[in-house]
Amino acid sequence: MHDIIVIGGGPAGLTAAVYGLRADKSVLVLEKESFGGQITYSPKVENIPGFVSLSGAEFADHLIEQALAQGAEFESVCVSGITVGKSAENGQNLFEVHTDEGSFYGRSVIIATGAKHRLLGLPKEEGFIGNGISFCAVCDGAFYSGATVGVVGGGNSALQEAVLLADLVKKLYIFQDMDFLTGEKKLQEALFAHDNVEVITGVHVKEYLGEDTLSGVVTEDKEGNRRETALDGLFLAVGLIPQNEPFTNVLKLNDRGYADVNEFCRTEVPGVFVAGDCRSKFIRQVTTAAADGAVAALAAVSYVEGRG
């Protein structure tokens, strides 16, 4: 029986673990993929307080090392659900967290599962993932050195991918459905410093070309004009989907699937808390994820101690 079970090993979950441990609570962190979360795929991060610049992987390593040093336990498992029970001792909720490796038991649970990449929902898309469609330039960019590549999206994530790719590829296309890029000005300046970049705004990707491997895309503008663009690879950066599906019995979700919680990260089920990108919020940054983790952990500590 752990005092706090944290589901998710990204910045929110690992920060929660550190705060829980420093309050002298036992903490177990469950993660189905790689500890560190999606920040590990960011080649360069410049908006984390205290660091002028570092890679997302370096930042994640610092978080993991810190949590381990405080005494966190880690398990690489896939969580499938949560069952709520009652303590015979004090009537508080107790939790059984179900995974593909068996069950784990806790006095409180912090859900920090983050979000996964959103797809365009076009035919052939699933088959092209890994065969021309990618999500991570730092992981796959080197495969396209000297090639022609596209990026779908115009926000910060898309521009971060694009800036890295622009240094590697022969030609880079940016496909944005809005009439302008929404990413930070600094990222736009870094992108436009490359003469191999062409930004195409006001278009939707309507079709993937190719058989077993992606060979290009068909885009369509507002007037219905269609254009074929030959590509060797395509990186999707069109948003995220919260990974809250296994927890619908303990979470109130909004119409986009994000958990609606108060400023203390408390859910309507006493003892269950939500932190990071899987909760409803206006700003999703590594700093706000870490802040959520701290708030959720302190709320969980109060709950375990019977103070709220």
Side-chain angles (χ1 to χ4, degrees), residues 48-201:
I48 297 175
F51 298 95
V52 175
S53 177
L54 79 169
S55 72
E58 289 174 315
F59 179 66
D61 286 343
H62 289 312
L63 283 175
I64 296 165
E65 182 181 357
Q66 185 179 22
L68 285 170
Q70 296 287 337
E73 297 178 48
F74 289 82
E75 292 286 349
S76 295
V77 293
C78 180
V79 175
S80 56
I82 297 172
T83 298
V84 184
K86 288 286 185 182
S87 168
E89 180 182 348
N90 58 18
Q92 280 191 328
N93 287 340
L94 297 176
F95 304 94
E96 180 179 0
V97 180
H98 307 282
T99 80
D100 56 352
E101 297 291 335
S103 293
F104 299 89
Y105 301 89
R107 296 181 176 88
S108 65
V109 174
I110 297 174
I111 298 170
T113 46
K116 62 184 178 181
H117 295 287
R118 188 180 298 278
L119 302 178
L120 299 182
L122 299 176
K124 301 183 180 180
E125 191 164 47
E126 294 285 350
F128 281 149
I129 295 174
N131 294 301
I133 291 180
S134 299
F135 304 96
C136 173
V138 71
C139 309
D140 300 333
F143 295 121
Y144 298 101
S145 180
T148 298
V149 172
V151 173
V152 182
N156 282 346
S157 296
L159 297 191
Q160 286 174 343
E161 299 290 296
V163 169
L164 178 63
L165 289 166
D167 289 327
L168 299 172
V169 304
K170 178 177 67 176
K171 177 71 175 182
L172 178 65
Y173 293 95
I174 311 294
F175 304 106
Q176 162 72 321
D177 58 356
M178 300 180 72
D179 292 328
F180 52 88
L181 300 176
T182 59
E184 294 176 354
K185 293 299 183 184
K186 288 287 185 182
L187 289 172
Q188 293 190 40
E189 291 170 3
L191 181 64
F192 291 131
H194 297 82
D195 57 10
N196 61 338
V197 175
E198 180 178 344
V199 177
I200 305 173
T201 58

